[in-house]
Amino acid sequence: MSIPKSNRKRSLIELFQKTYSQDQPQISSPATSTIDQLLHDAGSFGLYQKLQFFLVGLLAVLPAMTAFSYVFIAATPDHRCQLNLDNFTDTYKIQSDIHQNYINKYISSELKDPKCTMYDKNFPNRYPIPCTQWVFDDTFYNTTISTEWNLVCTRLHLKGITQNAYIIGTSGSFLTGIMSDRLGRRTTMYLLILLMVLVLNSTQILMHSKMSNDNKLIIFTISRFLTGFAQTTYSITLVLLLEMTSAKRRVLASNILSYFYTLGELLIMLIYYYTRDWSITMWILTVYVMPFLCYYWCIPESARWLVSSGQLLQARKVLHRIAYVNRRTLANSEKKLYDDLQRDAHIRPKRYSYTYVLISLIKSPVMRQRCLIIFYIMMTNLMVYLGIGMGITTLTKDRPYEIFLVSIFAELFGLCLCQFCATKFDRKIPLVLFFTLCSLSILMIPITHKTYPIISLSSALCAKLFISAAQALSWIYTSETYPTVIRSTGVGLTVSIARLGGVWAPQISLLAQSVWFPLPYIIFSISSFIAALFAIFLPETRTKIALPETIKQAEKRHHSIPMYGQQFSEMESEMIYMNKKLSVCHEEDEEEHHQQQHSIHLEDTLQFESVKSDDELMLTNNKQENNIL
């Protein structure tokens, strides 16, 4: 059953003319896979998806609570050296005039660093010595790991190491991405929840033991590392939501986790505000994790992943459940669920190893450039987000909780701004603007800090707003870059590399105290501006209809198609030339396999239809981009 050469050429030319002759073509892809059609028929955003978005969103609260708990449980209140006096116990608050005289005598303002050194009581005003004990202001913070374990002065870097351990742990997302592509989204997510429950409970038990403070610090640092690794559920659940709904809801699927992430910031602030105790705060967080142990039975596996891995029976059950909850009827369900789905599973693309993914990205010039840009953008996103977000309460000594609350609303507004721009407009231009405005806002912080502190604080809030919007939009770019077979692996790889920027964020922020106050803000501002320049070279992905399934589709569909200056005759000649090549290849195959069975000819016909679908997809996307512009 071979297809004549003339008919094949005519089919492509007629396709070209039909695509460009319609004034308002329907936005649908002839190459849409069966799983996309079934998800659409079952309801791409019905009651089922809304329930899953809510459940997964509650899980997304955890990364925010564990990450931003560092702002409160590791806060360093105002402090000074503790006086070793025999007649009374020293406190940070002044007890009497005699107490004030002792402070003036042993902790004089003439000292180079009065918070870390004091005069020897045997030789007052002569020999400064380093402090061994400190007293802290308990106006805003009662107990933190800094006050309990004396993480100040020469031990200040130890506090930063605990946060570095958390960020390094989140770099394990490349490993959990591989697990997600091999074991499934739901299974990997549940394993990480189990790890989180075990780590938090074990840590809290050890923190109440009689071991020394230094040993507790080591245990706490290890716990932060494992907790960071467990929090890579964020990227896995993002992929799960993207594969659960249609392309129209892709922005919402990405931002819904960010909304719940912001809710996690608010919850951890309220918990510490009412407890003012870091240990109780961590116990409440530990209890909050426990109900997620039932999520293995509440969250379904991705039907798209089940089909790509050949588990058709489970995929059919998930699709039937989606249709039942959404009260929808699957059109031609028997044919699509059994015949078409079986055919798609039979010709499904090969699942690639992590090494192959790296090699493929390196070999492809287009994907290599695009991924390098995304790597840098995601690194800058995390570095600036953590550096500004976690250091915003240090810009003033008054009202840290109120300032943090306002920063949460600034982030929430940034997420809403991202969703509005990504839905109504092209995505690349808003991304460039977000980074540019963020860079300018950060630069204003050190310039106005001493003379106009209100303006400096307002600039920091604006910086968090714009970096939050840029980060949410970058997640969309990242998820749309990789095909289904390596999506979790690719997103995990990107997140892992992005953590390199996050690792440096706490140390860069400490430069304001140890070296020069404007230095970290200059670094953050320059990095954001460079990210804005790099974002110009990213493709516009708003016109994409369906997520790519294979690496070749991801590279081909992301090619920038010329929208102006391309004449009809040039496109027609290009299609004729392409069709001639297809005809020659077909004739050679026909001569070579003339005596073979009819099944081989049928396979050749299916292969041609696949090529034809790719051509239809290219022409349809070209027309869509022309209509949008």
Side-chain angles (χ1 to χ4, degrees), residues 560-575:
S560 297
I561 302 177
M563 290 168 284
Y564 297 103
Q566 183 74 22
Q567 300 297 328
F568 179 92
S569 58
E570 295 178 357
M571 289 293 295
E572 183 177 10
S573 61
E574 182 180 351
M575 295 300 297

Side-chain angles (χ1 to χ4, degrees), residues 43 52 125 164 228 264 274 365 387 408 414 441 446 452 472 477 490 523 542 549 560 570 587 591-592 618 628:
Q52 297 304 323
N125 298 326
N164 286 344
Y274 286 105
I408 292 176
S441 300
Y452 304 100
Y477 264 115
I523 296 175
R542 181 172 178 251
E549 299 291 334
S560 297
E570 295 178 357
E587 288 176 356
E591 293 178 1
E592 182 179 355
M618 181 183 68
I628 291 174

Side-chain angles (χ1 to χ4, degrees), residues 250-277:
R250 199 176 301 156
V251 176
L252 178 61
S254 177
N255 282 359
I256 194 69
L257 296 184
S258 299
Y259 294 139
F260 277 95
Y261 189 92
T262 306
L263 177 62
E265 297 179 40
L266 177 62
L267 288 178
I268 197 65
M269 185 208 72
L270 293 175
I271 291 172
Y272 188 85
Y273 178 79
Y274 286 105
T275 62
R276 303 293 178 99
D277 188 296

Side-chain angles (χ1 to χ4, degrees), residues 556-593:
K556 183 176 181 180
R557 295 183 185 185
H558 285 181
H559 272 297
S560 297
I561 302 177
M563 290 168 284
Y564 297 103
Q566 183 74 22
Q567 300 297 328
F568 179 92
S569 58
E570 295 178 357
M571 289 293 295
E572 183 177 10
S573 61
E574 182 180 351
M575 295 300 297
I576 294 175
Y577 174 73
M578 183 188 303
N579 196 24
K580 287 181 179 180
K581 292 182 64 177
L582 293 174
S583 300
V584 172
C585 293
H586 178 75
E587 288 176 356
E588 292 177 355
D589 292 339
E590 184 177 357
E591 293 178 1
E592 182 179 355
H593 302 286

Side-chain angles (χ1 to χ4, degrees), residues 392-595:
I392 197 170
T393 57
T394 62
L395 293 176
T396 177
K397 296 181 180 180
D398 299 328
R399 302 180 181 276
Y401 300 102
E402 290 83 349
I403 293 173
F404 190 81
L405 180 61
V406 175
S407 71
I408 292 176
F409 284 105
E411 179 176 351
L412 183 62
F413 184 80
L415 296 176
C416 296
L417 180 63
C418 166
Q419 181 168 348
F420 175 79
C421 293
T423 305
K424 300 296 183 180
F425 309 103
D426 290 344
R427 297 175 185 173
K428 182 169 67 173
I429 295 178
L431 183 63
V432 174
L433 290 177
F434 292 155
F435 273 119
T436 303
L437 294 174
C438 177
S439 176
L440 295 176
S441 300
I442 294 174
L443 197 59
M444 290 295 295
I445 297 175
I447 295 176
T448 60
H449 179 66
K450 291 185 178 180
T451 55
Y452 304 100
I454 299 298
I455 297 179
S456 177
L457 183 59
S458 301
S459 300
L461 293 173
C462 290
K464 187 174 183 182
L465 186 155
F466 292 123
I467 196 61
S468 299
Q471 184 168 238
L473 198 53
S474 300
W475 274 104
I476 300 174
Y477 264 115
T478 303
S479 61
E480 291 176 345
T481 298
Y482 300 99
T484 300
V485 290
I486 61 167
R487 185 165 296 122
S488 281
T489 305
V491 172
L493 171 65
T494 304
V495 174
S496 299
I497 296 177
R499 299 306 175 186
L500 296 176
V503 168
W504 286 103
Q507 304 300 334
I508 293 175
S509 298
L510 291 176
L511 294 177
Q513 304 177 28
S514 59
V515 181
W516 186 39
F517 178 78
L519 183 57
Y521 300 101
I522 294 175
I523 296 175
F524 294 149
S525 179
I526 294 176
S527 300
S528 299
F529 185 73
I530 294 175
L533 295 178
F534 283 169
I536 298 176
F537 299 97
L538 285 174
E540 179 54 56
T541 58
R542 181 172 178 251
T543 57
K544 284 171 57 56
I545 298 175
L547 292 174
E549 299 291 334
T550 65
I551 295 178
K552 290 183 179 180
Q553 286 181 4
E555 182 176 357
K556 183 176 181 180
R557 295 183 185 185
H558 285 181
H559 272 297
S560 297
I561 302 177
M563 290 168 284
Y564 297 103
Q566 183 74 22
Q567 300 297 328
F568 179 92
S569 58
E570 295 178 357
M571 289 293 295
E572 183 177 10
S573 61
E574 182 180 351
M575 295 300 297
I576 294 175
Y577 174 73
M578 183 188 303
N579 196 24
K580 287 181 179 180
K581 292 182 64 177
L582 293 174
S583 300
V584 172
C585 293
H586 178 75
E587 288 176 356
E588 292 177 355
D589 292 339
E590 184 177 357
E591 293 178 1
E592 182 179 355
H593 302 286
H594 182 69
Q595 300 300 330

